[in-house]
Amino acid sequence: MSADVSSLGKLGDDGGSTRRSSVGRQRLSTGSSRSPWAVQKLRGIVDAPPLTTYPALLEGLQELSEFYEENTRENRRQLRCEMESRTLKSCEQVLKSFAGVQAILSSVQGDVQRMRENVNHISNRLSTARLGASEVVAQTGDLRKKLSNAEKRAQVATLFFKRFLLSRSEEAILESAEISEEFLATLNKLERIHVESKSLLRCRNQRAGLEVVEMAAARREDAYERVYRFVQSRCGALDVESAEDEVESKLLRETIHTLKARPILLGYCADEVGAARRAILVERFVTALTRGGPAGVPRPIEVSSQ
């Protein structure tokens, strides 16, 4: 069979030459009267293109030459079965070769499936987290609004306390027994609170205004009563000719000025001052009339009149 293939190859190569083809045609033309079928067969072989133009055919013939040794009738009958068996063996080898690849692909497919499941799980968790985050953002926005409102209310409350209420230190000053400049300043603030708290009564919510008015009124009455007693005690001890202490005199003037908000109490204080001055003047006149000056100088008025 290999000899036949080589002869066919040589024949195909020789068929490409113009001189040899012409000789073959002459021979075919001389023997055409003998066997027309053979002549046509040979003419087809001679006119056929060379086998080098069909590399696949050459490879097939080369592969066929490996197991097809002799061109016998029995070999030609078994050629198809042999080719099919070799094809099956080749397929089995291919399948065996791809068995490892199939295992790797199966492993990769399992990994891909697990990755898909993990991705789906992560996607679900992300969706849940996104929903939770949106809820947290919404709650955060609400809390920020509430915090802003609370801060505004705290500022309003702080301003309200500073304007309409007394601090603990100021309350302690009002409750102290001593009348000082801080006491008078706190009393003036309390008077201002009493005047300005009336504007709260014109608001929609009058409860705060009523409470402030009641608080200011109660503390004002007590504070003015103490101021009146202080002025009364100081006026009762006045000495016309004694040297006045500047601090005490200033404090007394400020307390009297504070009492202008209570004309009745101020009138009582004025009466007390007038009575005190009259008593002092009468006492001084009696002393000058009967005793005279210090150490009898000047002499009493009675002695001088006699």
Side-chain angles (χ1 to χ4, degrees):
M1 181 63 184
S2 59
D4 295 339
V5 173
S6 60
S7 62
L8 287 174
K10 291 179 181 179
L11 183 61
D13 293 336
D14 294 339
S17 174
T18 306
R19 184 180 59 83
R20 291 180 179 180
S21 62
S22 61
V23 174
R25 289 189 184 94
Q26 291 175 2
R27 292 177 179 178
L28 290 174
S29 61
T30 56
S32 59
S33 59
R34 299 177 182 178
S35 179
W37 178 84
V39 171
Q40 293 178 359
K41 195 71 173 178
L42 290 174
R43 184 177 294 174
I45 294 173
V46 170
D47 294 337
L51 295 177
T52 55
T53 59
Y54 302 101
L57 180 60
L58 289 176
E59 292 179 0
L61 292 174
Q62 186 66 27
E63 181 69 20
L64 185 62
S65 65
E66 293 179 358
F67 64 89
Y68 192 79
E69 297 178 354
E70 296 181 359
N71 188 10
T72 62
R73 180 178 297 179
E74 185 68 21
N75 289 338
R76 286 195 298 271
R77 290 178 179 177
Q78 299 295 329
L79 178 60
R80 182 173 182 178
C81 295
E82 183 67 21
M83 292 180 66
E84 290 178 352
S85 62
R86 291 178 67 86
T87 302
L88 290 175
K89 290 180 180 180
S90 299
C91 292
E92 290 177 356
Q93 292 178 356
V94 171
L95 291 176
K96 290 179 180 179
S97 301
F98 279 96
V101 178
Q102 180 66 27
I104 295 173
L105 290 176
S106 300
S107 177
V108 171
Q109 185 177 4
D111 294 338
V112 171
Q113 183 64 26
R114 286 190 295 272
M115 290 177 63
R116 184 181 293 109
E117 292 176 357
N118 292 331
V119 168
N120 293 331
H121 180 65
I122 293 173
S123 299
N124 295 331
R125 293 187 63 182
L126 286 176
S127 300
T128 305
R130 190 179 294 109
L131 293 176
S134 61
E135 293 178 358
V136 171
V137 170
Q139 292 178 0
T140 303
D142 295 338
L143 291 176
R144 286 180 178 176
K145 291 180 180 179
K146 292 180 180 179
L147 178 61
S148 178
N149 295 331
E151 290 177 351
K152 291 180 180 179
R153 291 181 180 179
Q155 292 177 357
V156 172
T158 302
L159 295 176
F160 180 84
F161 290 154
K162 289 182 179 180
R163 190 173 184 84
F164 294 101
L165 294 177
L166 297 176
S167 63
R168 293 183 179 180
S169 60
E170 291 173 342
E171 291 179 355
I173 291 173
L174 285 180
E175 293 175 357
S176 63
E178 182 182 0
I179 303 298
S180 60
E181 293 182 359
E182 290 81 4
F183 182 91
L184 297 178
T186 305
L187 180 58
N188 292 331
K189 181 180 178 179
L190 189 62
E191 183 67 25
R192 178 183 58 79
I193 290 174
H194 178 72
V195 174
E196 293 180 353
S197 62
K198 294 180 181 178
S199 61
L200 297 176
L201 299 177
R202 293 192 293 269
C203 298
R204 182 176 180 181
N205 189 1
Q206 300 179 355
R207 181 177 179 180
L210 291 174
E211 292 180 356
V212 172
V213 169
E214 291 177 359
M215 180 274 298
R219 292 185 177 274
R220 281 170 66 250
E221 294 300 328
D222 182 65
Y224 278 118
E225 184 66 25
R226 293 175 59 190
V227 170
Y228 168 71
R229 291 177 183 176
F230 174 78
V231 173
Q232 187 181 21
S233 63
R234 288 293 188 274
C235 291
L238 281 176
D239 191 352
V240 178
E241 296 182 357
S242 63
E244 296 182 354
D245 187 3
E246 184 65 24
V247 177
E248 291 292 334
S249 178
K250 181 180 179 181
L251 181 60
L252 181 60
R253 288 195 299 269
E254 289 180 356
T255 52
I256 293 174
H257 180 74
T258 303
L259 283 177
K260 287 183 178 180
R262 289 290 186 273
I264 297 176
L265 297 179
L266 183 61
Y268 292 159
C269 289
D271 294 339
E272 291 290 337
V273 171
R277 290 180 65 86
R278 282 195 300 271
I280 291 173
L281 291 176
V282 169
E283 183 181 357
R284 295 292 184 182
F285 179 75
V286 171
T287 301
L289 183 62
T290 58
R291 298 179 183 179
V297 180
R299 298 172 62 186
I301 297 175
E302 292 180 347
V303 176
S304 299
S305 64
Q306 293 178 359

